[in-house]
Amino acid sequence: MCLHWRWLIWALVWLQVALATKWYGGGMDFNDPSAWLDDHLPCAQDLVVFPEYYPALLPLPEDISIDGLVFPREGAILLAEESTITFGSDKQPSCESEEKKAYLKPPKSSKWFDPGTWTDKSKEFSTFTPELERIPCDDEQVIIKGHGPLSFDLENVQYLRLGQLILAGSSISKTYLEQLISRDLGQFLFYNAEYVQVEYYRGELCGCHKDFERLLEPVCHNVQEQCETPHCLSPVRPLGSCCLICGAILSTPTTHCTEGTRKEFVAQISNLISQESLKDQIGLHVDFVGSQQFGNCLQAVVTDRHKYSERSLEFLQQNEHNWNKTGTTLKVSGRPYNPNVSFSSIVLILFCMALVGLVSVVILAHFMPENPYLNRIPQWIHDPRRWRWRHLGLRLRRNLLFNRFDNGGAGGGSSEGGASGVDRLGIMAYDPESGEVRERAFDNPMFEQRGALEEAAKESQEQDEIPKMETGDLDATSVVDEQELTEINLDACGADTDEETI
């Protein structure tokens, strides 16, 4: 008889689930390696060790085979009626550990007003779904299941409003939930619940929450840092949303919040989208929003599915004649733009372009000194050999490694007549037999040498012959020191001995 009643309860539960339900998976499952230190699951011969302080309620699996349990000083476990724990079972060769212990990781708490805590298996949340609709609504059923640690932070929760609570497969009534919160067991399940009031609603509300404005601050406190910067000018914020979006919002006041009215409005907009073949480009979200201050309204959020291109805005403006009702308002965002490109970024790009252009002009002035326009640039700017720091007494020396690339034959090596402006190069080597003098530079064909060769010919006629170096014998005067020879008498050393000295 009890079995039939149990199946009847589960049938009623799944019937309500089909309407509106928020799920909580329970975090890291007991049988998940990530819930244990070093990812080591307990074997049949292992001792399960809890942390010394375990601020959560842990529902144990239905079947466990371990060697023992080391409970924490503070914590709680939930054991179902059909659960079985086997101690000292047979040894399994495939699962062994040297320490014979498995350590649970400390639990993590989940905030009740955090949209990331809950999931909706009947539908997927889109990026433009308001955050207040991602947490349990005031008349929704909440199912908490799984074999992971359960711990909820009721920070900023004044009223715990929901339609029904299913905890570990059991339906929790409003009276029992109020008693559970005040007990020691409830302190591990719910934190910051000293002044929380429990309220149950069953389809009596318009919209997800009784008064969404009251929940905006506590909910947005958990998701404000996760909001992406909208890529448009003048973004809009839907009612019940924490983040600004790019798109359009159509709001129509209403007095009767029925599901039929919402479906009719959704069908009207969806047909217009289908007629223009925009299903893959435009996203739509329609729901009631209730407010004690501004009344109830039916809100439609229309956005671009992919990159914002004002397609959703154009769609609503083209069909504006279909929403000509009293009190209907249309809010639209501005044109698209990239928020990552600021004024400082543009200034930096222009500065880099100007710097590259300046360096290019200096390089051209260095290699094209005959250009009438580039010749106006002072030579000390593009010639590093003329850079001086007089106050430091420092002057850059010429790099002899690259002297052979200078145009030594164009102007006879004269800095005044040469086209390259290179100082005269000194003698590198002298051959006394042939009288040939080798210089450090060669006639570089990269330089324009017409005018330079003419000037070099004139100078060669005026210059005297280069005196040849003569060689001769060294004089006595060139000798620095004379070495005196000292005579050593070997007979004196060998007077005392009969041996012959060499």
Side-chain angles (χ1 to χ4, degrees), residues 449-497:
Q449 303 176 359
R450 294 180 180 178
L453 291 175
E454 295 176 359
E455 295 179 3
K458 293 179 181 180
E459 291 184 0
S460 62
Q461 295 176 1
E462 297 175 358
Q463 289 179 353
D464 297 331
E465 295 182 7
I466 300 175
K468 298 183 178 181
M469 297 178 63
E470 296 182 357
T471 59
D473 299 335
L474 294 175
D475 302 347
T477 57
S478 63
V479 178
V480 181
D481 295 326
E482 285 189 1
Q483 297 181 353
E484 295 183 2
L485 300 177
T486 304
E487 183 179 357
I488 301 175
N489 191 357
L490 300 177
D491 297 336
C493 300
D496 299 336
T497 61

Short mmCIF file of all heavy atoms in Angstrom, two decimals, residues 449-497:
data_model
loop_
_atom_site.label_atom_id
_atom_site.label_comp_id
_atom_site.label_asym_id
_atom_site.label_seq_id
_atom_site.Cartn_x
_atom_site.Cartn_y
_atom_site.Cartn_z
N GLN A 449 78.21 58.45 -58.35
CA GLN A 449 79.60 58.86 -58.38
C GLN A 449 79.95 59.82 -59.52
O GLN A 449 81.13 60.05 -59.78
CB GLN A 449 80.49 57.61 -58.50
CG GLN A 449 80.28 56.61 -57.38
CD GLN A 449 81.10 55.37 -57.56
OE1 GLN A 449 81.82 55.26 -58.56
NE2 GLN A 449 81.00 54.45 -56.64
N ARG A 450 79.00 60.36 -60.21
CA ARG A 450 79.33 61.24 -61.34
C ARG A 450 80.03 62.50 -60.86
O ARG A 450 81.16 62.81 -61.25
CB ARG A 450 78.07 61.59 -62.11
CG ARG A 450 77.43 60.39 -62.80
CD ARG A 450 76.19 60.80 -63.54
NE ARG A 450 75.58 59.66 -64.21
CZ ARG A 450 74.45 59.74 -64.91
NH1 ARG A 450 73.81 60.92 -65.00
NH2 ARG A 450 73.95 58.66 -65.49
N GLY A 451 79.37 63.25 -59.99
CA GLY A 451 79.98 64.47 -59.48
C GLY A 451 81.16 64.16 -58.60
O GLY A 451 82.14 64.91 -58.56
N ALA A 452 81.10 63.06 -57.88
CA ALA A 452 82.19 62.73 -56.97
C ALA A 452 83.45 62.37 -57.72
O ALA A 452 84.56 62.72 -57.32
CB ALA A 452 81.77 61.57 -56.06
N LEU A 453 83.34 61.68 -58.88
CA LEU A 453 84.52 61.31 -59.65
C LEU A 453 85.20 62.53 -60.27
O LEU A 453 86.43 62.60 -60.36
CB LEU A 453 84.13 60.32 -60.75
CG LEU A 453 83.72 58.91 -60.26
CD1 LEU A 453 83.24 58.07 -61.44
CD2 LEU A 453 84.88 58.24 -59.55
N GLU A 454 84.40 63.50 -60.70
CA GLU A 454 84.99 64.71 -61.27
C GLU A 454 85.80 65.46 -60.22
O GLU A 454 86.92 65.91 -60.46
CB GLU A 454 83.89 65.61 -61.84
CG GLU A 454 83.18 64.98 -63.04
CD GLU A 454 82.05 65.85 -63.52
OE1 GLU A 454 81.84 66.93 -62.90
OE2 GLU A 454 81.38 65.49 -64.50
N GLU A 455 85.23 65.62 -59.04
CA GLU A 455 85.94 66.30 -57.97
C GLU A 455 87.18 65.52 -57.56
O GLU A 455 88.22 66.09 -57.22
CB GLU A 455 85.02 66.51 -56.78
CG GLU A 455 83.86 67.44 -57.10
CD GLU A 455 82.96 67.61 -55.91
OE1 GLU A 455 83.30 67.02 -54.85
OE2 GLU A 455 81.93 68.32 -56.00
N ALA A 456 87.07 64.19 -57.55
CA ALA A 456 88.22 63.37 -57.18
C ALA A 456 89.36 63.52 -58.18
O ALA A 456 90.55 63.53 -57.83
CB ALA A 456 87.81 61.91 -57.08
N ALA A 457 89.03 63.69 -59.51
CA ALA A 457 90.06 63.86 -60.53
C ALA A 457 90.80 65.18 -60.35
O ALA A 457 92.02 65.26 -60.50
CB ALA A 457 89.45 63.77 -61.93
N LYS A 458 90.04 66.22 -60.00
CA LYS A 458 90.68 67.51 -59.79
C LYS A 458 91.61 67.48 -58.59
O LYS A 458 92.71 68.01 -58.60
CB LYS A 458 89.62 68.59 -59.61
CG LYS A 458 88.80 68.85 -60.87
CD LYS A 458 87.74 69.91 -60.60
CE LYS A 458 86.89 70.15 -61.84
NZ LYS A 458 85.85 71.20 -61.60
N GLU A 459 91.15 66.88 -57.52
CA GLU A 459 91.97 66.83 -56.32
C GLU A 459 93.22 65.97 -56.53
O GLU A 459 94.27 66.25 -55.95
CB GLU A 459 91.15 66.27 -55.16
CG GLU A 459 90.05 67.21 -54.68
CD GLU A 459 89.32 66.66 -53.48
OE1 GLU A 459 89.69 65.55 -53.05
OE2 GLU A 459 88.39 67.33 -52.97
N SER A 460 93.09 64.92 -57.33
CA SER A 460 94.25 64.06 -57.56
C SER A 460 95.36 64.79 -58.31
O SER A 460 96.55 64.49 -58.17
CB SER A 460 93.82 62.81 -58.34
OG SER A 460 93.32 63.18 -59.61
N GLN A 461 95.01 65.77 -59.17
CA GLN A 461 96.02 66.54 -59.87
C GLN A 461 96.73 67.52 -58.96
O GLN A 461 97.89 67.82 -59.13
CB GLN A 461 95.38 67.29 -61.05
CG GLN A 461 94.81 66.37 -62.13
CD GLN A 461 94.10 67.14 -63.21
OE1 GLN A 461 94.05 68.39 -63.18
NE2 GLN A 461 93.57 66.41 -64.20
N GLU A 462 95.97 68.07 -58.01
CA GLU A 462 96.54 69.07 -57.13
C GLU A 462 97.34 68.45 -55.99
O GLU A 462 98.22 69.09 -55.42
CB GLU A 462 95.41 69.93 -56.55
CG GLU A 462 94.66 70.71 -57.62
CD GLU A 462 93.48 71.46 -57.04
OE1 GLU A 462 93.26 71.33 -55.81
OE2 GLU A 462 92.78 72.17 -57.79
N GLN A 463 97.00 67.25 -55.63
CA GLN A 463 97.68 66.64 -54.49
C GLN A 463 99.09 66.20 -54.87
O GLN A 463 99.34 65.83 -56.01
CB GLN A 463 96.88 65.43 -53.98
CG GLN A 463 95.58 65.80 -53.29
CD GLN A 463 94.83 64.56 -52.85
OE1 GLN A 463 95.26 63.45 -53.20
NE2 GLN A 463 93.77 64.75 -52.12
N ASP A 464 99.99 66.31 -53.97
CA ASP A 464 101.36 65.83 -54.17
C ASP A 464 101.40 64.33 -54.07
O ASP A 464 100.45 63.70 -53.59
CB ASP A 464 102.27 66.46 -53.10
CG ASP A 464 102.33 67.96 -53.22
OD1 ASP A 464 102.17 68.46 -54.37
OD2 ASP A 464 102.53 68.62 -52.19
N GLU A 465 102.46 63.81 -54.55
CA GLU A 465 102.60 62.38 -54.48
C GLU A 465 102.75 61.94 -53.03
O GLU A 465 103.35 62.66 -52.22
CB GLU A 465 103.83 61.95 -55.26
CG GLU A 465 103.72 62.20 -56.76
CD GLU A 465 104.94 61.70 -57.49
OE1 GLU A 465 105.79 61.05 -56.82
OE2 GLU A 465 105.05 61.93 -58.67
N ILE A 466 102.22 60.82 -52.79
CA ILE A 466 102.29 60.31 -51.41
C ILE A 466 103.70 59.84 -51.15
O ILE A 466 104.25 59.03 -51.92
CB ILE A 466 101.32 59.15 -51.23
CG1 ILE A 466 99.89 59.62 -51.51
CG2 ILE A 466 101.42 58.58 -49.83
CD1 ILE A 466 98.87 58.52 -51.46
N PRO A 467 104.38 60.37 -50.18
CA PRO A 467 105.77 59.93 -49.90
C PRO A 467 105.80 58.47 -49.54
O PRO A 467 104.95 57.98 -48.79
CB PRO A 467 106.17 60.82 -48.71
CG PRO A 467 104.90 61.22 -48.08
CD PRO A 467 103.89 61.32 -49.19
N LYS A 468 106.83 57.80 -50.14
CA LYS A 468 106.97 56.38 -49.86
C LYS A 468 107.78 56.17 -48.61
O LYS A 468 108.70 56.91 -48.32
CB LYS A 468 107.64 55.66 -51.03
CG LYS A 468 106.84 55.73 -52.33
CD LYS A 468 107.51 54.93 -53.42
CE LYS A 468 106.69 54.97 -54.69
NZ LYS A 468 107.33 54.17 -55.77
N MET A 469 107.45 55.15 -47.96
CA MET A 469 108.18 54.80 -46.74
C MET A 469 109.44 54.06 -47.13
O MET A 469 109.43 53.19 -48.01
CB MET A 469 107.29 53.92 -45.85
CG MET A 469 106.04 54.63 -45.37
SD MET A 469 105.02 53.56 -44.38
CE MET A 469 106.15 53.26 -43.03
N GLU A 470 110.58 54.45 -46.53
CA GLU A 470 111.86 53.82 -46.80
C GLU A 470 112.27 52.95 -45.65
O GLU A 470 111.95 53.23 -44.51
CB GLU A 470 112.92 54.90 -47.03
CG GLU A 470 112.62 55.76 -48.27
CD GLU A 470 113.70 56.79 -48.49
OE1 GLU A 470 114.61 56.85 -47.64
OE2 GLU A 470 113.63 57.52 -49.49
N THR A 471 113.04 51.94 -46.05
CA THR A 471 113.51 51.02 -45.03
C THR A 471 115.03 51.00 -45.05
O THR A 471 115.66 51.26 -46.08
CB THR A 471 112.98 49.60 -45.29
OG1 THR A 471 113.42 49.17 -46.57
CG2 THR A 471 111.46 49.57 -45.25
N GLY A 472 115.68 50.75 -44.00
CA GLY A 472 117.13 50.71 -43.91
C GLY A 472 117.58 49.92 -42.72
O GLY A 472 116.78 49.37 -41.98
N ASP A 473 118.95 49.85 -42.59
CA ASP A 473 119.49 49.10 -41.46
C ASP A 473 119.36 49.91 -40.20
O ASP A 473 119.28 51.15 -40.20
CB ASP A 473 120.96 48.77 -41.71
CG ASP A 473 121.12 47.90 -42.95
OD1 ASP A 473 120.12 47.20 -43.28
OD2 ASP A 473 122.20 47.96 -43.57
N LEU A 474 119.31 49.20 -39.15
CA LEU A 474 119.19 49.84 -37.85
C LEU A 474 120.51 50.49 -37.47
O LEU A 474 121.59 49.92 -37.64
CB LEU A 474 118.79 48.81 -36.79
CG LEU A 474 117.39 48.20 -36.96
CD1 LEU A 474 117.17 47.11 -35.92
CD2 LEU A 474 116.33 49.26 -36.85
N ASP A 475 120.52 51.72 -36.99
CA ASP A 475 121.70 52.43 -36.52
C ASP A 475 122.06 51.95 -35.13
O ASP A 475 121.30 51.26 -34.47
CB ASP A 475 121.46 53.94 -36.50
CG ASP A 475 121.09 54.46 -37.87
OD1 ASP A 475 121.27 53.69 -38.86
OD2 ASP A 475 120.60 55.58 -37.93
N ALA A 476 123.23 52.47 -34.74
CA ALA A 476 123.61 52.21 -33.35
C ALA A 476 122.74 52.99 -32.41
O ALA A 476 122.55 52.61 -31.26
CB ALA A 476 125.10 52.55 -33.16
N THR A 477 122.20 54.15 -32.98
CA THR A 477 121.36 54.98 -32.14
C THR A 477 120.01 54.35 -31.88
O THR A 477 119.32 54.72 -30.95
CB THR A 477 121.14 56.34 -32.81
OG1 THR A 477 120.58 56.11 -34.10
CG2 THR A 477 122.45 57.11 -32.95
N SER A 478 119.59 53.46 -32.81
CA SER A 478 118.30 52.81 -32.62
C SER A 478 118.35 51.68 -31.62
O SER A 478 117.35 51.09 -31.30
CB SER A 478 117.77 52.28 -33.95
OG SER A 478 118.66 51.29 -34.44
N VAL A 479 119.57 51.34 -31.23
CA VAL A 479 119.69 50.25 -30.25
C VAL A 479 119.41 50.82 -28.88
O VAL A 479 119.99 51.82 -28.48
CB VAL A 479 121.08 49.62 -30.31
CG1 VAL A 479 121.22 48.54 -29.27
CG2 VAL A 479 121.35 49.10 -31.71
N VAL A 480 118.52 50.22 -28.21
CA VAL A 480 118.11 50.76 -26.91
C VAL A 480 119.14 50.45 -25.85
O VAL A 480 119.64 51.31 -25.13
CB VAL A 480 116.74 50.19 -26.52
CG1 VAL A 480 116.31 50.75 -25.19
CG2 VAL A 480 115.72 50.52 -27.59
N ASP A 481 119.54 49.22 -25.79
CA ASP A 481 120.48 48.80 -24.76
C ASP A 481 121.51 47.88 -25.37
O ASP A 481 121.25 47.18 -26.35
CB ASP A 481 119.75 48.07 -23.61
CG ASP A 481 118.81 49.02 -22.88
OD1 ASP A 481 119.15 50.20 -22.78
OD2 ASP A 481 117.73 48.56 -22.45
N GLU A 482 122.66 47.89 -24.81
CA GLU A 482 123.70 46.93 -25.17
C GLU A 482 123.87 45.94 -24.05
O GLU A 482 123.85 46.32 -22.89
CB GLU A 482 125.02 47.65 -25.42
CG GLU A 482 125.07 48.41 -26.74
CD GLU A 482 126.47 48.90 -27.01
OE1 GLU A 482 127.34 48.62 -26.17
OE2 GLU A 482 126.67 49.54 -28.04
N GLN A 483 124.06 44.72 -24.44
CA GLN A 483 124.27 43.68 -23.44
C GLN A 483 125.77 43.39 -23.30
O GLN A 483 126.47 43.22 -24.29
CB GLN A 483 123.55 42.39 -23.85
CG GLN A 483 122.03 42.55 -23.92
CD GLN A 483 121.38 41.25 -24.30
OE1 GLN A 483 122.09 40.28 -24.62
NE2 GLN A 483 120.05 41.24 -24.25
N GLU A 484 126.25 43.42 -22.16
CA GLU A 484 127.66 43.14 -21.88
C GLU A 484 127.84 41.66 -21.62
O GLU A 484 127.05 41.06 -20.89
CB GLU A 484 128.12 43.94 -20.68
CG GLU A 484 128.10 45.44 -20.93
CD GLU A 484 128.64 46.19 -19.71
OE1 GLU A 484 129.04 45.50 -18.76
OE2 GLU A 484 128.65 47.41 -19.75
N LEU A 485 128.93 41.12 -22.25
CA LEU A 485 129.23 39.71 -22.06
C LEU A 485 130.21 39.57 -20.91
O LEU A 485 131.24 40.27 -20.83
CB LEU A 485 129.83 39.12 -23.32
CG LEU A 485 128.93 39.19 -24.56
CD1 LEU A 485 129.67 38.63 -25.77
CD2 LEU A 485 127.65 38.46 -24.31
N THR A 486 129.91 38.70 -20.04
CA THR A 486 130.76 38.47 -18.87
C THR A 486 131.45 37.13 -19.03
O THR A 486 130.81 36.11 -19.30
CB THR A 486 129.92 38.47 -17.57
OG1 THR A 486 129.22 39.69 -17.51
CG2 THR A 486 130.81 38.29 -16.37
N GLU A 487 132.77 37.13 -18.87
CA GLU A 487 133.56 35.90 -19.01
C GLU A 487 133.57 35.17 -17.69
O GLU A 487 133.84 35.76 -16.63
CB GLU A 487 134.98 36.23 -19.42
CG GLU A 487 135.83 35.01 -19.64
CD GLU A 487 137.24 35.38 -20.07
OE1 GLU A 487 137.50 36.60 -20.24
OE2 GLU A 487 138.05 34.48 -20.25
N ILE A 488 133.32 33.93 -17.76
CA ILE A 488 133.29 33.08 -16.57
C ILE A 488 134.47 32.11 -16.66
O ILE A 488 134.58 31.35 -17.63
CB ILE A 488 131.97 32.30 -16.47
CG1 ILE A 488 130.78 33.29 -16.40
CG2 ILE A 488 131.96 31.40 -15.25
CD1 ILE A 488 129.44 32.62 -16.42
N ASN A 489 135.29 32.13 -15.67
CA ASN A 489 136.47 31.26 -15.63
C ASN A 489 136.08 29.92 -15.06
O ASN A 489 135.76 29.81 -13.88
CB ASN A 489 137.57 31.92 -14.81
CG ASN A 489 138.91 31.20 -14.95
OD1 ASN A 489 138.99 30.16 -15.63
ND2 ASN A 489 139.94 31.75 -14.35
N LEU A 490 136.12 28.90 -15.91
CA LEU A 490 135.74 27.58 -15.44
C LEU A 490 136.86 26.90 -14.68
O LEU A 490 136.63 25.98 -13.90
CB LEU A 490 135.33 26.69 -16.62
CG LEU A 490 134.14 27.18 -17.45
CD1 LEU A 490 133.89 26.23 -18.61
CD2 LEU A 490 132.91 27.27 -16.57
N ASP A 491 138.12 27.36 -14.92
CA ASP A 491 139.23 26.72 -14.21
C ASP A 491 139.17 26.99 -12.73
O ASP A 491 139.55 26.16 -11.91
CB ASP A 491 140.55 27.21 -14.79
CG ASP A 491 140.69 26.80 -16.25
OD1 ASP A 491 140.01 25.80 -16.64
OD2 ASP A 491 141.41 27.47 -16.99
N ALA A 492 138.66 28.20 -12.40
CA ALA A 492 138.59 28.53 -10.97
C ALA A 492 137.61 27.64 -10.26
O ALA A 492 137.75 27.35 -9.08
CB ALA A 492 138.22 30.00 -10.80
N CYS A 493 136.54 27.24 -10.97
CA CYS A 493 135.53 26.40 -10.33
C CYS A 493 136.01 24.97 -10.19
O CYS A 493 135.60 24.25 -9.28
CB CYS A 493 134.23 26.42 -11.13
SG CYS A 493 133.50 28.07 -11.29
N GLY A 494 136.92 24.53 -11.08
CA GLY A 494 137.31 23.12 -11.05
C GLY A 494 138.62 22.89 -10.36
O GLY A 494 139.24 21.84 -10.54
N ALA A 495 139.14 23.86 -9.61
CA ALA A 495 140.41 23.69 -8.92
C ALA A 495 140.34 22.66 -7.82
O ALA A 495 141.29 21.96 -7.52
CB ALA A 495 140.90 25.04 -8.38
N ASP A 496 139.21 22.58 -7.24
CA ASP A 496 139.07 21.68 -6.09
C ASP A 496 138.68 20.28 -6.48
O ASP A 496 138.65 19.38 -5.68
CB ASP A 496 138.01 22.24 -5.11
CG ASP A 496 138.42 23.60 -4.59
OD1 ASP A 496 139.63 23.87 -4.61
OD2 ASP A 496 137.52 24.41 -4.21
N THR A 497 138.34 20.09 -7.74
CA THR A 497 137.87 18.76 -8.16
C THR A 497 138.69 18.31 -9.33
O THR A 497 139.34 19.10 -10.05
CB THR A 497 136.40 18.78 -8.53
OG1 THR A 497 136.23 19.69 -9.61
CG2 THR A 497 135.56 19.19 -7.35
#
